[in-house]
Amino acid sequence: MNYGTGITFGAFDPFHWGHLRLFIRAAEQCERLVVGLSTDADIAWRKGRRSRFHQDDRALALSQL
């Protein structure tokens, strides 16, 4: 079954092969995949630590996929 728009969220901090495999599998299930990126503040709140990479750098990396 192919869905219209799929969505996934994450910190992707640091980005690794598992994230890439997630995107590949998700993209196979939909026509368009939207990826949401957690902010640095959200990571600090949820995980109790600072992000390893600034959210702008993580967004740049994701935008190149």
Side-chain angles (χ1 to χ4, degrees):
M1 178 175 279
N2 194 320
Y3 299 98
T5 300
I7 188 165
T8 187
F9 288 91
F12 312 112
D13 181 49
F15 188 82
H16 54 76
W17 287 109
H19 295 131
L20 182 58
R21 287 191 298 268
L22 167 73
F23 296 154
I24 291 168
R25 286 192 315 269
E28 290 171 347
Q29 301 297 314
C30 59
E31 295 175 18
R32 184 178 111 180
L33 179 63
V34 176
V35 178
L37 180 66
S38 298
T39 64
D40 291 339
D42 187 49
I43 292 171
W45 178 75
R46 288 187 304 113
K47 296 187 176 184
R49 65 166 175 81
R50 293 179 54 184
S51 58
R52 294 179 188 151
F53 298 98
H54 189 272
Q55 64 194 32
D56 293 342
D57 295 330
R58 293 182 284 120
L60 176 62
L62 289 176
S63 74
Q64 299 305 303
L65 295 174

